[in-house]
RNA sequence: GGCGCUAUCGUCUAGGGGUUAGGACGCCGCCCUCUCACGGCGGUAACCGGGGUUCGAAUCCCCGUAGCGCUACCA
């Protein structure tokens, strides 16, 4: 039997980092086994669902390269793939269970249920349904229904043995029978409860492996009971560890960016993000590498190498990994993918054509952890520097006769042709030599005059991109402004 | 409160009856160098505690502790 797994997000927000990891493991498992990856949208919560989030989740998955074989916009033989369209299926299953006597109406009021719960809690007991309506006769139940009483549907648990299963992520898990009760499977408004809908869907979609976050462990015995009532075969369960914030609690807003789209906007590469997420709670057999392509990960992925404990999301390591991917980008790709962040620079595109912009992006390849950083790094290519770094000015004063050196450089550069790296370097070094000073004594003030900064790309390649006229003009502007005079050494 | 899951460097992890407990991020130092960054080299740093089993336990078992999760007619 071929593998069928599913990812079942609720459209109550953008694709969450934790959900994305669950989706990734499911996808990896399906692709590794040549199985089917199903996407199902659990949109039954009328209050919190927003249709635009479905769109956003789909986009997030596509960004990560997680293609689904069945689901929204993909079709399939096991639909519909929105829970909101599966109501008839749930009703049918519910009716069948009632007919078979495996489910019964419960007329207990929420108030009474709550009171019982409080009582049990006070007695330090595990709260569970007291079975009031369990033994109502069919006739009596029908009478109350006919009288218009509101009722929920509960499943009738027949056995008193522990529920246990071999979890593919956690090993043997057992729940004592006292922990289980006749749970509600249909609310008084006729809608199925979460646990019931999930099981009906997973059965209907022929899911063979349920891979999900460990926060679902305590739902599992309930669901197993529902599988049994339905007479359906059990899938394999694999509960995977959670992704945590820096304080080891469930990742939430206060831990920083929690949705995938935020990482996309921040200039992370999808392939880096994917790689990083995969290594959170899973490791390849050869532990000595960190960088793996999606294909390699697909080949290597097995559930038995998933760890059992939660993992803190370390944004620092993500940045490092992103840099590794940025460094490996072919020049054209780097340029193309940097474009949205270049466009955000005031003054873009200035006088630069595609070739120059491509060069420009290349200057920052090894200097940015995220593509978004280029926005700040490259500012001075599109605007004159407004101020000069103070430490840089102090340092520039160590160059003897600074104005003369800068003027000499400007004059010399004006005659460089072609205005390219090597001739520029020759010119700069000639100026230094001509005045009997070290090259650094020219280079550092020049960078300061050109960019206002003390750090950045190599001076010669920077100049080549900036162009002769702008270089000369900025050097002369520096001389006109005489910013070093305001510095007290 | 009850139940469940978990426990190796600060973080992600490998390993798993006998190892100098390995790798990666971070941090520190050195080298490279026109700055920054990249890169190279080196360093820092861990088996939660207590019992038991065993010739030998970080590894297996039990207890404790701690963290997290779940405890709905939410999903």
């Amino acid at each position: 039997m071929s593998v069928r797994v599913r990812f079942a997000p609720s459209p109550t927000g953008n694709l969450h980092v934790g959900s994305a990891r669950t989706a990734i493991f499911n996808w990896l498992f399906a692709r590794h086994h040549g199985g089917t990856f199903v996407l199902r949208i659990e949109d039954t919560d009328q209050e919190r669902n927003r249709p635009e989030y479905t769109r956003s989740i789909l986009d997030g998955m596509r960004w990560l390269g997680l293609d689904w074989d069945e689901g929204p916009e993909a079709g399939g033989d096991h639909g519909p793939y929105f829970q909101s369209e599966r109501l008839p299926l749930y009703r049918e299953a519910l009716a069948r269970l009632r007919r078979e006597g495996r489910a019964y109406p419960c007329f207990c009021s929420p108030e009474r249920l709550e009171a019982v719960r409080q009582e049990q809690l006070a007695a330090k007991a595990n709260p569970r349904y007291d079975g009031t309506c369990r033994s109502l006769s069919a006739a009596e139940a029908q009478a109350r229904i006919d009288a218009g009483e509101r009722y929920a549907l509960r499943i009738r648990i027949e056995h008193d043995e522990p529920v246990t299963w071999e979890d593919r992520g956690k090993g043997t898990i057992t729940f004592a029978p006292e922990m289980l009760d006749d749970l509600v499977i249909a609310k008084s408004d006729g809608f199925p409860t979460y646990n019931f809908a999930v099981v009906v869907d997973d059965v209907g979609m022929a899911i063979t492996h349920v891979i999900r976050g460990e926060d679902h462990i305590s739902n599992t015995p309930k669901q197993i009971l529902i599988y049994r009532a339905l007479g359906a075969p059990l899938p394999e369960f694999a509960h995977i560890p959670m992704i945590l914030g820096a304080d080891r609690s469930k990742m939430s807003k206060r831990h920083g960016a929690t949705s995938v789209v935020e990482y996309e906007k921040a200039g992370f590469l999808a392939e880096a993000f994917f790689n990083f997420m995969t290594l959170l709670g899973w490791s390849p057999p050869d532990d000595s590498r960190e960088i793996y392509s999606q294909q390699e990960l697909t080949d290597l992925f097995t559930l038995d190498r998933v760890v059992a404990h939660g993992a803190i999301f370390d944004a620092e390591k993500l940045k490092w990994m992103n840099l590794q991917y940025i460094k490996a980008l072919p020049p054209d790709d780097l340029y193309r993918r940097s474009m949205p962040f270049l466009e955000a620079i005031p003054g873009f595109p200035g006088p630069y054509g595609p070739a120059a912009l491509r060069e420009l992006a290349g200057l920052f390849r090894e200097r940015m952890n995220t593509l978004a950083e280029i926005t700040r790094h490259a500012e001075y290519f599109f605007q004159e520097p407004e101020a000069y770094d103070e430490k840089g000015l102090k340092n520039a004063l160590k160059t003897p006769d600074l104005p003369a050196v800068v003027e000499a450089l400007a004059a010399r550069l004006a005659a460089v042709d072609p205005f390219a790296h090597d001739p520029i370097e020759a010119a700069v070094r000639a100026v230094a030599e001509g005045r009997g000073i070290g090259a650094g004594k020219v280079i550092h003030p020049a960078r300061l005059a050109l960019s206002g900064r003390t750090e950045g790309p190599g001076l010669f390649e920077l100049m080549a991109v900036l162009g002769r006229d702008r270089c000369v003009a900025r050097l002369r502007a520096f001389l006109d402004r005489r910013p070093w005079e305001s510095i007290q050494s």
Side-chain angles (χ1 to χ4, degrees), chain A residues 370-383:
Chain A
T370 67
L371 295 177
E373 288 174 13
I374 204 171
T375 303
R376 298 222 75 83
H377 280 324
E379 269 176 337
Y380 54 82
F381 280 92
F382 304 91
Q383 309 148 217

Side-chain angles (χ1 to χ4, degrees), chain A residues 37 64 75 136-137 164 175 243 250 317 335 386 424 456 475:
Chain A
F37 180 52
L64 283 170
L136 252 32
S137 73
T164 175
F175 281 78
I243 292 188
K250 204 169 172 177
K317 185 155 184 175
Y335 168 49
E386 292 162 12
I424 291 170
L475 288 172

Side-chain angles (χ1 to χ4, degrees), chain A residues 404-432 442-443 445-447 449-450 459-476 479:
Chain A
V405 171
V406 174
E407 175 48 42
L409 181 62
R412 188 113 197 182
L413 286 176
V416 170
D417 189 53
F419 201 72
H421 181 286
D422 289 353
I424 291 170
E425 175 166 9
V428 171
R429 293 197 186 281
V431 168
V442 180
I443 288 171
R447 173 181 291 106
L450 260 24
L459 182 69
F460 314 131
E461 43 265 34
L462 184 160
M463 284 179 160
V465 172
L466 203 51
R468 182 195 295 110
D469 294 348
R470 248 177 315 279
C471 285
V472 172
R474 287 187 187 189
L475 288 172
R476 297 233 154 96
L479 290 173

Side-chain angles (χ1 to χ4, degrees), chain A residues 114-130:
Chain A
E114 184 55 26
V116 170
R117 199 177 359 259
Q118 290 308 326
E119 225 170 273
Q120 291 167 329
L121 240 29
K124 300 187 177 182
N126 175 56
R128 61 197 292 244
Y129 180 56
D130 63 359

